[in-house]
Amino acid sequence: MAADTKPVWGLSAAHLVTDLYSPVLPAILPLLIAEQGYSYLLAGLIVTVYNLTSSFLQPVAGWFYDNKGLAVHISITVLISATFISIVGLLGNYYLIVASVAIAAFGHALFHPSALGTVSHLTRDAVRGRVTSYFVIGGNLGYALGPICAGVVVGLMGLPGLLILAVPGIAMSVVLRRILPPPDRRTGVRPSATPVARASYRPIALMVAASGLRAWAIFGSVAYLPTVLTLRGIDLVTANLLVSGMLICGVVGQVVGGSLSDRYGRKDYTILGLIAAVPPFLVFLMAGGTVSLVALMVFGFALWSTFAVSVAMAHEIAPANVGLVSGLMLGLSVGVGGLGVALTGLISDQTSLQVGLMTIPLAIVLSVLLFLAVPYPWKSFSRGGSGSPIH
């Protein structure tokens, strides 16, 4: 039976709106550094607080999805994210900014486990990589549009202009309230009270750690590349447009990677995709001009193309606990990545931003080593040229 993709595309649209607000903070870091005088470390900690708050709440939300079938209406989560990210531009106190960011992250956290768990139940293993990528690209598109929107409004109006970004979130919240049923009347969701099998703990732990290192590379690049580009003489709006271009390349990579993983194997593609991301990033750092920018786009395509693939892997390893696993993969692993952003900032403060950014390819290499250790069958690289998902 083919997967029903219509509900998936609806959830993908909601994912777009939710994740529109996630990259706003990295996009305005150059202004916070310049106008408020924050160090790279303090600026990076703002992103870290957002990531950690969202990260550690997502596994809890996933557990409730698996065991209780409980969820907050999606419209409320979008409204919280939109409101508290947008008012950051009006706040001059560092601690108030951190508090507002934490509340915004709370709204962001409640959306993902139940939505992604629903997607998992709507598909089957033969096309899981492709269908999962459909949901994920909604978030990727939102993540790509966020820096553009933030760059335009702060470029024209300064930090207070960030308040305008609340409008699409509020509007979408109203629409979602009208078109989506309350959480207790959801259909197509089969929450399970079955605990994760004992054998599943090790592969999931390895995957969360590997995904955390990849998240370090993802969020570290998004957080500091606008600053790198402005230091090269590029204006802030153009710098954020270039980062958004990298993220859009990642959206394309998600669909390509998901489809290829269905055919050639999830572990196989994840390893190759991560390895392929390292050389173009080094070219970006060391080269200049058009070559550097093209390398940045290739880096985005390769690195992001492995994301939906690894989520599909995790769902196949622990099919009875897709909510919890989703919370771990999109939540806890992102928190690890957020800690990495702060570490990159600390190293940059002590040395230089160029040196600090070398932590990104290092994180990718370590991620490859952990994914290699995950006890998930190879497909194209196996002796017989085929493998089957774990159940």
Side-chain angles (χ1 to χ4, degrees):
M1 181 180 64
D4 182 4
T5 59
K6 290 182 180 178
V8 175
W9 284 115
L11 289 167
S12 181
H15 197 190
L16 186 156
V17 176
T18 299
D19 280 11
L20 177 72
Y21 298 95
S22 299
V24 167
L25 295 174
I28 65 172
L29 281 189
L31 278 183
L32 291 175
I33 292 170
E35 295 185 8
Q36 305 291 348
Y38 300 147
S39 66
Y40 289 130
L41 175 59
L42 286 179
L45 281 174
I46 294 174
V47 178
T48 298
V49 167
Y50 183 91
N51 289 334
L52 285 179
T53 303
S54 174
S55 299
F56 289 115
L57 283 177
Q58 285 193 50
V60 177
W63 183 88
F64 273 100
Y65 171 82
D66 289 330
N67 294 275
K68 306 295 182 181
L70 299 178
V72 174
H73 197 281
I74 290 174
S75 65
I76 297 176
T77 70
V78 175
L79 183 62
I80 292 172
S81 295
T83 302
F84 285 93
I85 283 294
S86 299
I87 66 172
V88 166
L90 303 178
L91 303 175
N93 182 278
Y94 182 79
Y95 298 104
L96 288 178
I97 290 175
V98 170
S100 184
V101 164
I103 296 172
F106 174 77
H108 183 260
L110 298 179
F111 170 80
H112 292 84
S114 59
L116 190 50
T118 302
V119 170
S120 180
H121 289 310
L122 289 171
T123 189
R124 56 190 176 86
D125 289 341
V127 293
R128 186 174 302 279
R130 175 169 58 86
V131 174
T132 301
S133 75
Y134 292 164
F135 172 78
V136 172
I137 63 174
N140 291 158
L141 287 171
Y143 209 84
L145 291 173
I148 296 175
C149 296
V152 169
V153 296
V154 301
L156 295 175
M157 304 175 63
L159 286 173
L162 205 61
L163 194 62
I164 295 175
L165 292 187
V167 175
I170 294 172
M172 183 56 67
S173 178
V174 173
V175 172
L176 291 173
R177 173 62 68 175
R178 289 181 175 274
I179 67 175
L180 294 179
D184 60 349
R185 297 205 304 269
R186 291 175 301 164
T187 58
V189 180
R190 302 191 305 271
S192 169
T194 304
V196 177
R198 185 177 299 275
S200 296
Y201 283 123
R202 180 173 175 269
I204 291 299
L206 286 169
M207 292 197 65
V208 169
S211 298
L213 289 164
R214 179 181 56 197
W216 178 359
I218 289 175
F219 289 108
S221 60
V222 172
Y224 292 113
L225 287 183
T227 302
V228 172
L229 294 170
T230 56
L231 290 174
R232 292 183 179 182
I234 298 174
D235 65 89
L236 181 59
V237 173
T238 303
N240 282 315
L241 284 172
L242 288 170
V243 173
S244 292
M246 176 185 70
L247 294 173
I248 291 171
C249 289
V251 170
V252 178
Q254 291 277 15
V255 178
V256 173
S259 298
L260 289 177
S261 77
D262 288 335
R263 182 171 182 179
Y264 298 108
R266 310 216 193 285
K267 184 172 182 177
D268 313 58
Y269 184 83
T270 298
I271 299 301
L272 288 178
L274 289 172
I275 292 173
V278 174
F281 186 80
L282 296 177
V283 171
F284 166 75
L285 289 182
M286 298 175 184
T290 303
V291 172
S292 177
L293 297 180
V294 170
L296 182 62
M297 303 306 149
V298 175
F299 166 73
F301 177 93
L303 183 61
W304 269 258
S305 72
T306 65
F307 188 85
V309 177
S310 59
V311 172
M313 278 178 62
H315 286 177
E316 290 170 350
I317 290 173
N321 298 87
V322 292
L324 176 59
V325 167
S326 298
L328 291 170
M329 292 293 290
L330 275 70
L332 184 60
S333 66
V334 171
V336 174
L339 289 173
V341 174
L343 180 58
T344 296
L346 178 60
I347 294 173
S348 299
D349 284 337
Q350 298 298 319
T351 56
S352 68
L353 189 55
Q354 187 86 356
V355 173
L357 288 175
M358 289 303 296
T359 58
I360 290 175
L362 175 61
I364 295 173
V365 171
L366 294 175
S367 179
V368 169
L369 296 177
L370 289 178
F371 273 120
L372 284 170
V374 174
Y376 183 96
W378 297 95
K379 189 173 184 180
S380 296
F381 296 158
S382 64
R383 289 184 179 181
S386 63
S388 58
I390 294 173
H391 290 289

